Amino acid sequence: MHPDCEKIMLTEEEIRSRVKAVALEVDRAYQGKCPLVVGILKGSIIFYSDFIRDLSIPVELDFMAVSSYGSGAVSSGKLRIKKDLDKDVSGRDVIIVEDIIDSGFTLANLKALLHERGASSVCIVTLLNKVERREYDIVPDYNCFEIANEFVIGYGLDYNEQYRNLPYIGILKREVYGG
Ligand code: IMP
Ligand code: MG
């Protein structure tokens, strides 16, 4: 385990089997369709690449980078589009793939934006859901794990751009972020 980790919250094996199960549900729900799968950079990349390989339906891939957080662990309260989609979403079934829902700010804004742009459906798939922290009315259509209010790293999730490449999800030691 990484020395900055308090403990491992979810092992590689636990993540692997849960992501597979959720992908199977999505696969069933989208039979006969070709959704645009939108990954939210950068936190979702590992989850995204595992998730899409567990789908048997045809998909198109696209990415967006937004920020509601600065470099640290405290929300700044404004959504900024840093990289927009390449594809036009009008008339498309869109699946947003996100690493974690915290306050719900990012996804509430993104979902509204994609509807405004004419997407015919927008569904949210998340790896982690911190239900306790919710401030915006947003519920993921598919969620892999509900977690307690801890700052977590690994499997794509970062603190100050570090730890994304850890293969498991760990709880970051409080002394590292001074929380
Ligand atoms: P929201 O807009 O408040 O729902 O925040 C969602 C974003 O905050 C995620 O996409 C993450 O980038 C970041 N975030 C929230 N909690 C954590 C965490 O525990 N570890 C790493 N990033 C987090
Ligand atoms: Mg982040």
Side-chain angles (χ1 to χ4, degrees):
M1 185 175 74
H2 192 287
D4 292 350
C5 259
E6 180 84 46
K7 67 180 242 211
I8 293 177
M9 181 185 262
L10 297 163
T11 65
E12 283 185 73
E13 294 72 25
E14 286 168 326
I15 299 168
R16 187 81 289 273
S17 77
R18 181 64 185 140
V19 170
K20 240 187 175 59
V22 168
L24 198 67
E25 284 182 49
V26 174
D27 213 50
R28 288 204 189 102
Y30 283 80
Q31 286 298 312
K33 295 182 173 166
C34 177
L36 185 67
V37 186
V38 173
I40 309 306
L41 300 172
K42 304 169 212 166
S44 74
I45 58 154
I46 315 274
F47 172 45
Y48 185 98
S49 61
D50 280 344
F51 172 75
I52 57 168
R53 285 180 294 172
D54 287 328
L55 297 174
S56 70
I57 49 163
V59 292
E60 284 178 29
L61 315 186
D62 209 342
F63 299 92
M64 262 180 117
V66 298
S67 64
S68 62
Y69 275 58
S71 56
V74 183
S75 178
S76 71
K78 197 169 184 299
L79 187 79
R80 195 162 63 90
I81 297 178
K82 297 195 286 188
K83 184 228 174 283
D84 209 337
L85 297 170
D86 294 332
K87 298 260 169 62
D88 179 3
V89 298
S90 73
R92 298 298 306 265
D93 295 305
V94 178
I95 299 177
I96 302 177
V97 177
E98 174 64 308
D99 54 357
I100 184 166
I101 312 186
D102 190 37
S103 70
F105 176 84
T106 308
L107 286 177
N109 280 276
L110 269 181
K111 197 173 176 182
L113 177 70
L114 297 179
H115 276 302
E116 242 169 67
R117 290 181 180 178
S120 52
S121 69
V122 180
C123 125
I124 294 171
V125 180
T126 55
L127 177 67
L128 306 172
N129 190 9
K130 279 188 196 170
V131 184
E132 264 180 73
R133 297 258 308 163
R134 200 60 31 81
E135 290 169 38
Y136 295 80
D137 184 25
I138 197 90
V139 179
D141 299 273
Y142 302 91
N143 171 48
C144 296
F145 301 97
E146 233 171 66
I147 65 164
N149 184 18
E150 306 269 14
F151 198 85
V152 291
I153 50 168
Y155 197 71
L157 289 109
D158 76 306
Y159 173 68
N160 274 344
E161 296 300 330
Q162 292 298 307
Y163 316 111
R164 292 194 197 274
N165 57 331
L166 298 179
Y168 49 83
I169 290 171
I171 298 173
L172 184 63
K173 281 183 180 164
R174 281 180 186 272
E175 68 219 50
V176 178
Y177 65 94

